[in-house]
Amino acid sequence: MDLNSSSPITIPIFSTLTSPFESSPKKESDSTPSTRKPLSLWPGMYHSPVTNALWETRSKIFERLLDPPIDAPPQSELLARTPSKSRMTILYNFSTDYILREQYRDAWNEVRIGKLLEDLDALAGSISVRHCSDDDSTTRPLLLVTAAVDKMVLKKPISVDLDLKIVGAVIWVGRSSMEIQLEVIQPADGSTENAESVALTANFIFVARDSKTGKAAPVNRLSPETEQEKLLFEAAEERNKFRKRKRVGDRKEIENGEVNRLQALLSEGRIFCDMPALADRDSILLRDTHLENSLICQPQQRNIHGRIFGGFLMHRAFELAFSTAYAFAGMMPYFLEVDHVDFLRPVDVGDFLRFKSCVLYTECHNADQPLINIEVVAHVTRPELRSSEVSNKFYFTFTVRPEAKARNNGFRIRKVVPATEEEARSILERMDADSMQQDK
């Protein structure tokens, strides 16, 4: 399959596990002789069937990335690409591949969201490579990294019994960055697609770096063709401007005022700290919602550039956020969305990574769908240097499953209150960010 073809690519996904009862059918490509390094030795093959299929598709270009020609010249002339040039589709044949189905099944017969986050990041990376390729094997390739996830919204439950596909393309390009839009599509009857077939939407921001100097590098231009592509480009341009304004404005808003809001949040927390017997039983201190886990980053979790795969970090953050919401609500949570995520610093193989989560605040205006807002902060900890740096901040929103709520007559979601000014500021910043997102 030629990645440099101008036509959109569709990639079928196969189970990467062998059935204990039968031999896996041999693919046609298995009999083709190749001098390429076995795919099983490449980074990323340990993540999911999607990553495995994407590696296979990108193999020709990615062989250059595995051992980049550092002394080669950079791309000399930027090309104009259409969104269709980068468009890719991956297909999950859940209805017929029972092993693949079991790899993605969760406890409610739905798709595991954590694994899906990995797949979305991997596909977005493939699309960015496809857009930035200059078709010239004599130039050195760009280093493309996930800079942010702008927004990810689950519109409906995703069944693991029906076939599924993810479609994505580059919809906007800046000087050295690009936005990739992905849609997870699952028709209710498994065949007919319509607007209601979109189960999840996600927008990823990737940035390009020169693989030799590490500095920002220009990427190929984007030439929208259809009216829909032009509308998507304009909307992405507005989001880019909004992100720039937000970076400048949010901190000033907190610093220049909001004292009353800050004090109001802290006043209830002080009662918990100073007079706990008199505190509101329907509230809880933020610090009492904390969960934490840690891990050493292993080579199997690396991407093509030797850094830890962004999708892996999102997967681990999601699992902790889900557990935090579960322990807080006392019943099974239901995922709704991931808010804007910034990848602040890279994570390397061998890093000691700590994930710390908390319930930042709750919203109970809608009794049928109370919202639980979870913050997960990833810290790269270096014991030898006595240092700890924030790598990522993730914000997830959950509600509770209707069937779980129906079984619990005493159901309630507590209000979360801060005990320190730092916690109060974090809550206000997040509330304001959510409010700005809704007003866009």
Side-chain angles (χ1 to χ4, degrees):
M1 192 175 292
D2 184 4
L3 185 59
N4 297 321
S5 168
S6 60
S7 59
I9 284 181
T10 298
I11 305 169
I13 304 304
F14 301 94
S15 165
T16 53
L17 298 179
T18 302
S19 167
F21 307 108
E22 60 186 49
S23 299
S24 295
K26 194 172 186 179
K27 302 185 191 70
E28 184 179 346
S29 59
D30 292 345
S31 59
T32 305
S34 174
T35 58
R36 191 180 73 207
K37 179 189 295 186
L39 191 66
S40 61
L41 301 179
W42 289 32
M45 62 81 58
Y46 298 92
H47 300 304
S48 77
V50 166
T51 312
N52 193 70
L54 290 171
W55 278 116
E56 193 71 68
T57 305
R58 299 181 291 182
S59 59
K60 289 184 179 178
I61 285 182
F62 271 39
E63 281 177 330
R64 292 175 59 215
L65 296 181
L66 284 168
D67 188 18
I70 300 299
D71 295 331
Q75 181 177 344
S76 58
E77 182 180 353
L78 295 179
L79 306 175
R81 304 284 201 193
T82 62
S84 61
K85 173 69 176 178
S86 65
R87 185 165 291 114
M88 299 179 75
T89 301
I90 57 178
L91 301 173
Y92 300 79
N93 296 305
F94 287 141
S95 63
T96 56
D97 189 337
Y98 74 93
I99 302 178
L100 180 67
R101 192 162 61 238
E102 288 305 311
Q103 287 184 263
Y104 280 84
R105 185 190 302 278
D106 72 2
W108 302 275
N109 208 42
E110 295 171 6
V111 170
R112 290 179 58 190
I113 297 297
K115 285 184 72 68
L116 196 61
L117 295 182
E118 284 199 46
D119 294 351
L120 290 166
D121 186 62
L123 179 58
S126 292
I127 291 169
S128 70
V129 169
R130 183 168 163 82
H131 175 81
C132 293
S133 171
D134 63 352
D135 305 331
D136 186 351
S137 61
T138 65
T139 60
R140 63 176 178 260
L142 294 175
L143 191 158
L144 298 165
V145 296
T146 311
V149 178
D150 189 66
K151 192 81 169 180
M152 189 179 299
V153 179
L154 184 70
K155 297 178 178 293
K156 66 175 186 176
I158 305 175
S159 170
V160 79
D161 291 323
L162 300 174
D163 289 345
L164 182 74
K165 73 177 181 180
I166 306 177
V167 181
V170 174
I171 61 168
W172 174 86
V173 166
R175 180 186 177 275
S176 60
S177 60
M178 70 200 85
E179 182 168 333
I180 293 119
Q181 185 176 79
L182 304 172
E183 289 186 334
V184 178
I185 299 172
Q186 187 174 64
D189 60 0
S191 58
T192 307
E193 291 185 18
N194 52 42
E196 296 180 355
S197 299
V198 177
L200 183 146
T201 59
N203 290 68
F204 284 74
I205 312 298
F206 273 69
V207 296
R209 298 285 182 265
D210 188 290
S211 56
K212 182 177 181 180
T213 66
K215 296 181 179 179
V219 298
N220 289 330
R221 305 296 88 200
L222 189 69
S223 299
E225 293 181 307
T226 68
E227 286 302 315
Q228 178 65 15
E229 289 171 352
K230 291 174 183 177
L231 289 174
L232 288 173
F233 186 95
E234 291 169 3
E237 180 73 27
E238 285 301 312
R239 283 193 294 273
N240 181 57
K241 293 177 181 176
F242 170 78
R243 286 191 295 270
K244 290 179 178 178
R245 291 196 304 269
K246 183 173 177 291
R247 284 195 293 267
V248 173
D250 278 3
R251 178 59 64 179
K252 286 184 178 178
E253 183 180 351
I254 294 293
E255 290 175 350
N256 294 340
E258 304 297 328
V259 175
N260 292 337
R261 291 175 68 201
L262 201 67
Q263 293 304 320
L265 275 174
L266 284 169
S267 62
E268 191 171 351
R270 290 195 185 100
I271 297 175
F272 271 90
C273 296
D274 300 338
M275 297 169 284
L278 303 178
D280 183 358
R281 296 301 103 186
D282 288 329
S283 298
I284 186 173
L285 284 176
L286 184 151
R287 68 189 183 197
D288 291 333
T289 68
H290 281 186
L291 287 181
E292 179 178 343
N293 61 30
S294 59
L295 61 104
I296 302 296
C297 298
Q298 303 294 344
Q300 294 83 2
Q301 298 145 6
R302 75 195 187 282
N303 62 19
I304 193 66
H305 306 298
R307 295 278 172 69
I308 298 303
F309 181 43
F312 172 79
L313 300 176
M314 285 196 290
H315 188 171
R316 292 301 296 259
F318 174 84
E319 298 289 353
L320 181 60
F322 184 95
S323 300
T324 304
Y326 191 6
F328 174 79
M331 58 188 71
M332 287 295 180
Y334 178 73
F335 167 73
L336 292 177
E337 66 181 48
V338 181
D339 205 349
H340 186 87
V341 177
D342 285 313
F343 289 78
L344 304 175
R345 71 175 302 279
V347 181
D348 294 317
V349 172
D351 279 350
F352 175 24
L353 196 62
R354 301 178 69 184
F355 290 93
K356 300 180 181 181
S357 69
C358 69
V359 179
L360 206 54
Y361 67 97
T362 59
E363 298 175 77
C364 300
H365 309 303
N366 183 352
D368 292 330
Q369 192 180 72
L371 303 181
I372 306 168
N373 295 274
I374 308 289
E375 178 187 64
V376 179
V377 183
H379 298 259
V380 173
T381 304
R382 301 182 184 278
E384 300 91 340
L385 302 177
R386 275 65 168 174
S387 71
S388 181
E389 296 179 277
V390 173
S391 167
N392 308 83
K393 287 187 177 181
F394 304 88
Y395 296 96
F396 300 91
T397 303
F398 294 86
T399 186
V400 293
R401 290 180 173 270
E403 61 271 22
K405 190 168 63 171
R407 291 194 299 267
N408 191 333
N409 294 329
F411 166 76
R412 64 176 179 173
I413 293 292
R414 289 186 174 187
K415 178 182 177 182
V416 177
V417 295
T420 67
E421 186 172 322
E422 180 181 3
E423 291 175 350
R425 286 182 180 275
S426 296
I427 293 173
L428 288 180
E429 287 177 6
R430 195 70 239 140
M431 285 180 167
D432 290 343
D434 288 345
S435 177
M436 289 177 71
Q437 285 280 356
Q438 293 169 3
D439 293 340
K440 278 200 298 182

